[in-house]
Amino acid sequence: MKDQDDFSKALSAGTILKNGAYRIEHVLGGGGFGITYLATWIQTQKTGLKEIKTGELTVVVKEFYHKMYCFRDTGSNEILIANEEKQREFNRLKRKLISEARIMNTLIHPNITEVYDAFEENNTAYIVMAYIDGTDLDARVKQQGRIGVSDALKYGIEIARALETVHQHNILHLDISPSNILIDKNNNALLIDFGISLSYNDSGDVILTSKLLTGRKPSFSPPEQSSLEILAKFVPAIDVYALGATLYDCLTGKEPPEASTLASGDAQLKNPSSFYKDIPPALDKIVLKAMSLNRKERYQTATELLADLIKEQRSHNESAIQLLRKEAKKQYQNKEYPSALVLYNKALLLDPENKECLKAKEQCVKAMEENKEQENSLPETQINQDSTAKRKTTDSPSGKTIPFKAHRKIIGICIGVCILFAVIYNILPSVHTEKKEENAPKETPTEQPAPSPETNTTVPSPEVENFKPDYYLDQGNSSYNNSDYDKAIRYYEKYISLSKTDNLSVKKRIEYAKTCSALLKEANSLFSKQEYQKAKALYEKILRIKINDKNARQKIEECEEMITLSNK
């Protein structure tokens, strides 16, 4: 956290926002455009005329507070602006922030921080986001000196996947950097802070623009980002450069030179491997291509960059997987099935789609189940005999099995010592001979060693597993984006049941989908009855919920045409 003086005008602990919905706990940090707070979301439910508290959730509240324009009335918490011109610009930026937050609320992805709410109060805007228990990537780089190749590839892939979803919604983030990537306690990377992002229509033209570009970070911004003319068009390669620069920072522990100094020749972009020899040359090429000053020579989409990162990750993990498989195979042949399963699971963390490991893992599970069934099917008398034999015998240092001789109660120290010597010298040899014959092991068929799970060709291939929760989430998002609301609802509900998580964003998306589905059916019915004015009103309601519903927009145009024709 920065010095307290930087946040002397911040909201005090205990401040209540949105009629009691949120309670400020303390300041987390801030920058030139806002102050970030840790807060509590006080969740309630209306029952008749009463409102009952149902729970609390820790969240992050971001307050729009432009240091160049604002100061706060400490008595009322109202944000005041110095003059009318700055007030107009502040209001425009405030509306943009609210609009962008509502769009962000529709972005559902495991590597994008969830946005729960956005509202205006105190003459400014507030955004409510999920609280992530972790640290930002910038702090981790500074703490460790650099990020290893494995983790750097993992984070790069996760953020590239998040960018795919962002770009599919015609949004540019424009502020990707290590400080805007959070690493949670499960070592997953999440993209945050869409404060200076821009939205575009289907034609690629910007919807909301900003005259203020001071929020960008020079070391992580391509040269064209300073041009309003270029920003007026949808250019995903801008975010690609920023992600490439972020990877450079992770791998080397050093921020890359600013694009302007690279363009002027005052600085050169060195290969990351020139700093650390464990960085493979193929990863050098990926990072440098993503950071090309000529945007036409970069990866044009996050998808292109993602494909090369995944390919490099698989190559990097291949040697580690081979070692894990080799050790797991030994454990399996020694019938150490749980240990073998752990090793195969570790290999699958590196490559979840490795067919050999998946098949071997299935065989380990099957072998463990068969062992358990065999143990359960043993006769009770045999189990008792085995346990009795174990109690009667023990291993001597020489490795031979000898019986225990029950000790008599010692009556006096001298008598006891004499008896002990007598027992050892006279009795033990004969008893040992009798017991040896009695305890001689019966002949049993020799067990053949279990075949390796990777070489056993007689075992049928495992049944196809159910799809993972992320599959249903992706299908739900796809169906929702294509306005197939009923199908989206089914996919989202399946995702929630499989993931067993209380995902508020997905639940909200289900509510939106149900509302849109009902509105769409009613609007289509009215349209077929030629009640075009009423149908248009319902289609417009759908657009207010889902602004990029092409079907509803097209239907509105058809309604307007029919209304015009009927008026003629």
Side-chain angles (χ1 to χ4, degrees):
M1 185 183 296
K2 296 183 180 181
D3 296 336
Q4 188 63 31
D5 291 341
D6 290 342
F7 307 110
S8 58
K9 298 298 183 181
L11 295 172
S12 58
T15 300
I16 300 297
L17 298 174
K18 203 178 182 182
N19 299 320
Y22 305 104
R23 181 180 67 245
I24 298 297
E25 302 298 341
H26 59 78
V27 174
L28 288 175
F33 291 95
I35 303 174
T36 304
Y37 305 90
L38 185 73
T40 300
W41 180 4
I42 304 168
Q43 299 170 328
T44 58
Q45 182 177 359
K46 287 187 177 180
T47 304
L49 298 176
K50 294 183 178 180
E51 195 168 30
I52 301 173
K53 179 180 174 181
T54 58
E56 293 185 349
L57 179 69
T58 301
V59 294
V60 170
V61 173
K62 186 169 184 178
E63 179 185 43
F64 180 44
Y65 188 93
H66 198 302
K67 286 187 176 181
M68 300 292 291
Y69 292 176
C70 304
F71 61 95
R72 192 189 304 275
D73 182 344
T74 54
S76 64
N77 286 330
E78 288 283 324
I79 298 296
L80 305 176
I81 310 299
N83 57 55
E84 291 185 6
E85 182 181 352
K86 289 184 177 181
Q87 179 71 60
R88 284 193 297 271
E89 179 65 11
F90 181 82
N91 289 340
R92 188 178 67 78
L93 292 171
K94 180 174 65 177
R95 289 193 299 271
K96 172 189 180 299
L97 194 67
I98 291 287
S99 177
E100 294 293 343
R102 287 172 179 162
I103 292 172
M104 285 304 305
N105 184 253
T106 67
L107 293 179
I108 300 177
H109 191 277
N111 301 110
I112 298 176
T113 306
E114 295 178 78
V115 174
Y116 296 144
D117 195 7
F119 60 93
E120 292 188 47
E121 194 170 329
N122 296 331
N123 191 34
T124 189
Y126 295 90
I127 299 175
V128 183
M129 299 173 288
Y131 170 70
I132 306 300
D133 185 9
T135 58
D136 65 61
L137 185 54
D138 184 52
R140 182 162 293 195
V141 171
K142 289 175 180 175
Q143 180 183 10
Q144 298 179 2
R146 64 176 290 232
I147 302 296
V149 174
S150 295
D151 276 346
L153 283 167
K154 180 181 184 296
Y155 301 153
I157 288 170
E158 289 171 341
I159 299 304
R161 283 177 173 151
L163 272 182
E164 274 190 312
T165 297
V166 173
H167 292 166
Q168 284 168 6
H169 285 75
N170 296 335
I171 299 171
L172 291 182
H173 186 280
L174 300 178
D175 199 16
I176 295 171
S177 67
S179 60
N180 283 335
I181 295 172
L182 286 181
I183 309 300
D184 68 13
K185 59 184 180 182
N186 295 320
N187 200 35
N188 297 316
L190 293 96
L191 185 59
I192 64 169
D193 200 343
F194 286 73
I196 64 170
S197 61
L198 293 178
S199 298
Y200 298 79
N201 59 27
D202 291 338
S203 301
D205 297 319
V206 71
I207 297 173
L208 294 170
T209 58
S210 173
K211 295 178 182 177
L212 294 171
L213 299 174
T214 54
R216 72 186 187 93
K217 300 177 179 69
S219 293
F220 301 93
S221 303
E224 69 269 17
Q225 191 168 335
S226 60
S227 168
L228 283 172
E229 183 179 353
I230 293 176
L231 286 178
K233 290 291 183 180
F234 183 62
V235 184
I238 293 176
D239 282 343
V240 168
Y241 182 99
L243 181 51
T246 298
L247 284 170
Y248 189 98
D249 181 86
C250 287
L251 292 165
T252 66
K254 304 177 186 298
E255 286 190 2
E258 295 181 17
S260 58
T261 60
L262 291 172
S264 65
D266 293 334
Q268 290 184 344
L269 190 63
K270 298 179 180 179
N271 289 338
S273 61
S274 65
F275 296 94
Y276 295 97
K277 293 181 180 180
D278 65 323
I279 301 172
L283 188 52
D284 275 343
K285 292 179 180 178
I286 292 172
V287 172
L288 296 183
K289 181 177 179 180
M291 291 187 65
S292 174
L293 294 178
N294 184 347
R295 69 176 183 274
K296 292 182 179 180
E297 295 178 358
R298 282 178 224 148
Y299 297 100
Q300 296 303 295
T301 64
T303 304
E304 292 179 8
L305 173 57
L306 175 62
D308 275 3
L309 286 174
I310 290 175
K311 182 179 178 182
E312 178 57 28
Q313 185 189 53
R314 287 176 178 170
S315 174
H316 181 74
N317 292 339
E318 188 175 349
S319 59
I321 290 172
Q322 292 298 330
L323 290 173
L324 287 168
R325 283 178 57 196
K326 185 177 179 180
E327 183 59 29
K329 186 176 177 181
K330 288 180 182 178
Q331 296 291 340
Y332 186 91
Q333 289 175 337
N334 293 332
K335 296 186 178 181
E336 297 290 340
Y337 303 125
S339 299
L341 185 62
V342 169
L343 293 169
Y344 282 124
N345 280 331
K346 285 184 178 180
L348 286 170
L349 286 175
L350 298 174
D351 183 5
E353 299 176 4
N354 189 290
K355 294 180 181 179
E356 292 82 2
C357 290
L358 286 170
K359 183 176 179 180
K361 176 185 173 180
E362 189 71 19
Q363 295 302 332
C364 279
V365 173
K366 188 175 181 179
M368 289 169 67
E369 290 173 352
E370 288 175 352
N371 265 11
K372 190 174 181 181
E373 289 174 2
Q374 289 174 4
E375 289 175 4
N376 293 336
S377 64
L378 285 174
E380 186 175 351
T381 55
Q382 183 177 346
I383 296 173
N384 291 336
Q385 289 173 2
D386 291 344
S387 60
T388 303
K390 287 179 181 177
R391 288 197 300 270
K392 287 184 177 180
T393 61
T394 185
D395 291 335
S396 69
S398 62
K400 296 180 180 179
T401 301
I402 60 172
F404 281 115
K405 185 68 180 178
H407 293 286
R408 298 174 181 180
K409 185 176 180 180
I410 300 176
I411 305 173
I413 296 175
C414 294
I415 297 174
V417 171
C418 293
I419 292 173
L420 181 61
F421 275 101
V423 168
I424 295 174
Y425 185 78
N426 296 321
I427 301 175
L428 183 57
S430 61
V431 172
H432 180 69
T433 305
E434 294 171 3
K435 291 291 182 179
K436 185 175 181 181
E437 295 177 359
E438 180 182 336
N439 292 332
K442 297 179 181 179
E443 291 185 6
T444 54
T446 305
E447 279 192 22
Q448 298 296 327
S452 164
E454 299 186 37
T455 58
N456 187 355
T457 57
T458 62
V459 180
S461 59
E463 295 179 0
V464 178
E465 296 181 353
N466 290 332
F467 290 111
K468 294 181 180 179
D470 286 349
Y471 166 81
Y472 294 101
L473 179 61
D474 291 339
Q475 292 298 314
N477 289 339
S478 177
S479 300
Y480 186 85
N481 292 334
N482 293 328
S483 304
D484 192 345
Y485 300 114
D486 292 336
K487 188 182 288 186
I489 292 167
R490 292 196 296 273
Y491 279 124
Y492 285 140
E493 288 176 343
K494 183 70 174 177
Y495 167 75
I496 289 176
S497 67
L498 289 176
S499 62
K500 298 179 181 179
T501 57
D502 191 18
N503 192 312
L504 295 177
S505 291
V506 175
K507 287 186 175 180
K508 280 188 179 182
R509 182 65 71 87
I510 291 173
E511 291 177 10
Y512 295 154
K514 287 180 177 178
T515 303
C516 289
S517 177
L519 289 170
L520 186 60
K521 289 173 184 175
E522 181 64 22
N524 289 341
S525 175
L526 291 170
F527 188 91
S528 63
K529 295 175 184 177
Q530 299 182 359
E531 296 184 32
Y532 303 117
Q533 198 69 45
K534 292 181 179 179
K536 180 187 174 186
L538 293 180
Y539 288 130
E540 288 174 343
K541 282 186 178 180
I542 294 173
L543 276 183
R544 283 196 289 273
I545 298 172
K546 183 171 178 282
I547 62 172
N548 59 346
D549 191 315
K550 297 178 182 179
N551 181 47
R553 197 178 297 279
Q554 184 179 348
K555 282 291 187 181
I556 290 171
E557 293 175 359
E558 291 178 11
C559 286
E560 290 173 346
E561 289 177 5
M562 299 307 296
I563 291 169
T564 303
L565 289 173
S566 60
N567 288 337
K568 290 182 179 179

